[in-house]
Amino acid sequence: MRPELRALTGIRGLAATTVALAHFRLPLPFGLRSIFQWEDAAVVLFFCLSGFTLAYVYGRDRFRFSSYIVARIGRVYPLYFLTLVGLGAAYVAPLIINPETYPVSRAIPDFVLQALMLNAWPVIGYGDHWNFPAWSISVEWFCYLLVFPLLLQLPKPPRSDNARLLALVVLSALCYSLLLGVLDERIMGPTSYVAAHKLSYWAPVLEGILAFTAGWIAFVIHEDRDDIHFLCRQYSSLIWICIAVILILRYFMLINSQMMLFLFPFVVLAATDATSATSRILGSRPLHFLGLISYSIYLMHFPVMLAFLLVLGEPGAWSGWVYATLVIATFLVSVVTYFAIERPARDAIRGLYTQRHVPGLVAVRRDASVKRK
């Protein structure tokens, strides 16, 4: 088993926290609030990280589809389904969704598609999601099932550094164009809204494919230790300075903060150097723990926010203390769901599969238990 790249876990934690804080719309001056307003790009970063991490963990020679897909289900499904059912109950109440604009005849097939994580798939799905951020989980599922196994069968990208760099820039440019010009987030809410641009229904999956592929190319660069890999590790601090510059320019409304997605493959490569100052910070205990619970933060922050809305009403009258309580509550709920649901369910699903498919494992464990006694 390969060693964990702790800095990548820390990056995932920062991205999930950014998404949550952006959705909370904290009562900060615009300039300060804009620091968190790259949540769409943060989701692209998730896809890029997934493409790199899966390639890092599952090499072509080590890949077995059955164990791979069981591990993916154990990783994402239990908490995903829990939030789906919880918000479904709120729909039935109805507390959140207006049954006049979102009738039961639409909600029932929607639930089935969401339960199968197919709702963001074009043609098959409606695009609606009761837990709004969960649209990206459906896209991840598409990449798990179809994109990653296909990438493993493809030959490596050209060995030329220039060709690989060009591929990363083109993939990022296409993703940026979809993000700003095509993506319509209104299709993702439980309403009868119909997007004007038909490509809007393809945009989420296309973004996932592009960013996931960029992450895979970043992994190939990492494995080959080419000049791009060397430069990213050598100048990791400079890459993060560029991220900070983009946020500063966004503060003065001189640039769109989503521009930082062009840097994501290089951020991932820079983070593979565990000795750099930035990687040590990202891999520190607080940020590493934030990364461990990042999936819980990502899925639970929206239900927690809706609970506050139901109890306290619209946020226009919320004080700063309410927002602080919202942030703290989200963190605490995420910690609880990680330790009580996410991790135990993941381990149980993987354990059941291993017991059924690894010959002699049960006997070995029984012998080891007897020896300990």
Side-chain angles (χ1 to χ4, degrees):
M1 181 178 294
R2 293 195 178 204
E4 179 189 5
L5 299 174
R6 290 176 60 90
L8 296 185
T9 305
I11 291 173
R12 193 177 293 275
L14 288 178
T17 302
T18 295
V19 172
L21 294 177
H23 288 164
F24 291 164
R25 304 200 178 279
L26 303 177
L28 301 171
F30 170 77
L32 293 177
R33 192 170 68 246
S34 66
I35 294 175
F36 305 110
Q37 290 181 331
W38 53 280
E39 67 273 20
D40 291 335
V43 177
V44 174
L45 178 55
F46 285 136
F47 297 142
C48 185
L49 283 167
S50 292
F52 181 94
T53 303
L54 288 183
Y56 181 78
V57 173
Y58 298 97
R60 185 176 302 183
D61 298 334
R62 301 184 300 274
F63 183 77
R64 183 179 177 185
F65 186 80
S66 59
S67 59
Y68 155 77
I69 208 64
V70 167
R72 294 298 90 206
I73 291 173
R75 175 72 179 88
V76 303
Y77 194 75
L79 189 60
Y80 170 88
F81 188 73
L82 175 69
T83 60
L84 173 63
V85 172
L87 289 175
Y91 165 75
V92 172
L95 298 173
I96 300 170
I97 301 170
N98 186 344
E100 295 182 2
T101 60
Y102 187 66
V104 174
S105 60
R106 173 72 174 271
I108 293 175
D110 245 7
F111 174 81
V112 174
L113 287 169
Q114 288 177 91
L116 297 174
M117 296 189 288
L118 302 177
N119 226 35
W121 294 26
V123 180
I124 298 175
Y126 291 109
D128 306 332
H129 287 278
W130 297 349
N131 187 4
F132 174 74
W135 69 266
S136 70
I137 311 304
S138 178
V139 174
E140 286 265 5
W141 185 238
F142 181 91
C143 292
Y144 292 163
L145 281 177
L146 302 176
V147 179
F148 181 64
L150 176 62
L151 289 175
L152 284 181
Q153 303 305 316
L154 296 178
K156 282 186 177 182
R159 295 192 63 87
S160 165
D161 293 342
N162 291 334
R164 291 177 174 182
L165 181 61
L166 178 62
L168 291 176
V169 171
V170 169
L171 289 170
S172 298
L174 291 172
C175 198
Y176 180 82
S177 299
L178 287 170
L179 191 64
L180 265 66
V182 178
L183 182 66
D184 187 346
E185 292 185 345
R186 289 172 291 184
I187 67 173
M188 299 175 187
T191 66
S192 297
Y193 174 79
V194 178
H197 202 308
K198 295 298 182 183
L199 192 57
S200 296
Y201 296 95
W202 290 79
V205 166
L206 292 176
E207 280 182 20
I209 294 172
L210 293 169
F212 198 92
T213 304
W216 173 70
I217 293 176
F219 168 76
V220 174
I221 291 171
H222 167 73
E223 288 294 280
D224 288 349
R225 302 294 198 271
D226 63 12
D227 289 343
I228 299 174
H229 176 264
F230 172 79
L231 290 173
C232 287
R233 289 166 64 102
Q234 188 75 14
Y235 298 103
S236 60
S237 297
L238 180 60
I239 293 172
W240 282 101
I241 288 173
C242 290
I243 294 284
V245 168
I246 290 174
L247 291 175
I248 292 170
L249 293 175
R250 168 61 176 169
Y251 177 88
F252 293 104
M253 301 185 67
L254 298 175
I255 197 173
N256 192 307
S257 58
Q258 317 299 348
M259 281 289 295
M260 69 176 64
L261 69 83
F262 283 91
L263 296 173
F264 288 160
F266 310 110
V267 164
V268 171
L269 284 168
T272 62
D273 179 13
T275 64
S276 69
T278 53
S279 290
R280 288 197 298 270
I281 294 172
L282 290 166
S284 62
R285 285 188 178 183
L287 290 182
H288 182 261
F289 180 75
L290 197 66
L292 290 178
I293 65 170
S294 61
Y295 186 62
S296 285
I297 291 173
Y298 187 73
L299 281 185
M300 294 307 301
H301 79 271
F302 192 68
V304 172
M305 183 174 69
L306 287 179
F308 270 65
L309 288 170
L310 291 172
V311 173
L312 301 174
E314 291 300 318
W318 290 6
S319 67
W321 288 108
V322 172
Y323 281 100
T325 304
L326 173 61
V327 173
I328 294 171
T330 300
F331 176 78
L332 294 177
V333 168
S334 299
V335 171
V336 171
T337 54
Y338 172 75
F339 285 105
I341 299 170
E342 183 185 341
R343 193 170 73 171
R346 177 196 65 197
D347 294 342
I349 290 172
R350 292 180 178 180
L352 288 173
Y353 174 85
T354 303
Q355 288 181 15
R356 294 187 60 181
H357 293 83
V358 179
L361 179 64
V362 176
V364 170
R365 287 181 173 175
R366 187 183 300 117
D367 291 343
S369 176
V370 170
K371 289 179 180 179
R372 284 196 298 270
K373 292 179 181 179

